Amino acid sequence: MKKRILDLTVRAVERLSEKHVLIRLTDEQTLPEMVPGQFVEVRVDGSTSTFLRRPISINMVDREKNELWLMVAMVGDGTRKLGELKPGDKLNCLLPLGNGFSHLQPLTSHSSPLLVGGGVGVAPLLYLGAEMKKMGVEPTFLLGGRTKNDLLELDLFKRYGRVCVTTEDGSMGEKGFVTNHSVLNEKFDHIATCGPTPMMKAVARYAKQQGIYCEASLENMMACGLGACLCCVEKVKKDGTEEATNLCVCKDGPVFNVDRLLWQI
């Protein structure tokens, strides 16, 4: 897909939690094509300590409203500045970047996909689930957090499929980690996951044990988003071999078949 640099207009900034906001962006022109799993590099203006763009997963593309949604975790000066944006402000975006999930291609009305997310890693799964719903496939979402306050956009996820949740403190859903949830006793044929690396490794182990095709959206530290700076390199297997090679998560990912990842799973 052709990459563009656009000054998008902030339509709304919604508080999702104490440390998360949803930024809804629009443009006078039709937004470019974007697929679930891709991301955006945004320029942070007004910060004296943020010199590089920040990578943000695409949370949703609403074609009817011509909106792009970005979920932002405010963890540093740059992302806190993004949380201070107001309607009418401009946000300079480089998009779309990376490769998305391939799960949409083999799906049929009989498919049973499971989408597993944790923390801000749930962001790309909303758009993926929405696209599955358009195809007549209802996914199961398995979402985890430390407490109920870490569970984001639950009402939106429920529009597109069944939602199961876990919390480490038991404040909502089943107590424990996502890989402890009873829904994993059911049969699934595709898994997509995004979130903390330990969680994704546990999901990958489950998928391998069950013989289920699984893709993970990695959250390595990224700077340029174009594969030039090499700070997001991940060691993977070369296609069709056991030989290792290095790939840039921003350019060659961020979504990978977990069978290619040289994780210790």
Side-chain angles (χ1 to χ4, degrees), residues 25-227:
L25 303 164
T26 190
D27 195 35
E28 294 180 357
Q29 305 297 318
T30 302
L31 290 170
E33 184 68 23
M34 292 170 270
V35 300
Q38 290 186 305
F39 67 99
V40 177
E41 286 270 1
V42 302
R43 191 181 70 205
V44 180
D45 297 326
S47 171
T48 59
S49 61
T50 307
F51 305 104
L52 300 173
R53 289 177 179 267
R54 289 293 180 262
I56 309 291
S57 296
I58 293 172
N59 182 216
M60 178 63 76
V61 178
D62 187 329
R63 289 294 171 190
E64 290 185 4
K65 296 181 179 179
N66 197 39
E67 287 185 350
L68 166 65
W69 297 6
L70 302 179
M71 182 191 292
V72 178
M74 297 179 291
V75 295
D77 185 63
T79 47
R80 283 193 292 269
K81 286 293 183 184
L82 294 177
E84 295 172 1
L85 290 168
K86 300 292 189 295
D89 288 346
K90 296 291 185 180
L91 184 62
N92 185 269
C93 299
L94 172 61
L95 77 167
L97 298 174
N99 298 299
F101 294 100
S102 67
H103 288 71
L104 297 175
Q105 301 304 320
L107 291 182
T108 70
S109 59
H110 301 293
S111 296
S112 299
L114 176 67
L115 312 186
V116 187
V120 75
V122 304
L125 302 182
L126 184 68
Y127 187 24
L128 178 60
E131 291 298 292
M132 288 180 172
K133 185 75 170 180
K134 287 181 183 178
M135 299 174 63
V137 177
E138 185 167 306
T140 295
F141 298 101
L142 177 53
L143 311 175
R146 292 181 180 177
T147 75
K148 63 181 180 180
N149 296 326
D150 298 315
L151 298 170
L152 307 171
E153 299 187 318
L154 291 184
D155 289 342
L156 293 174
F157 279 104
K158 289 175 183 177
R159 294 180 184 178
Y160 306 115
R162 178 174 52 148
V163 176
C164 304
V165 302
T166 66
T167 50
E168 293 178 31
D169 67 354
S171 54
M172 183 177 286
E174 296 187 15
K175 185 175 182 179
F177 302 114
V178 290
T179 46
N180 303 132
H181 200 284
S182 59
V183 76
L184 296 182
N185 295 320
E186 300 179 17
K187 297 287 187 181
F188 298 98
D189 48 27
H190 295 79
I191 296 177
T193 185
C194 185
T197 299
M199 183 208 78
M200 291 194 292
K201 287 183 177 181
V203 172
R205 283 195 295 271
Y206 165 79
K208 186 173 183 179
Q209 292 165 1
Q210 301 297 318
I212 304 172
Y213 179 79
C214 180
E215 289 183 341
S217 179
L218 305 192
E219 296 186 317
N220 295 32
M221 185 68 71
M222 300 181 197
C224 72
L226 300 170

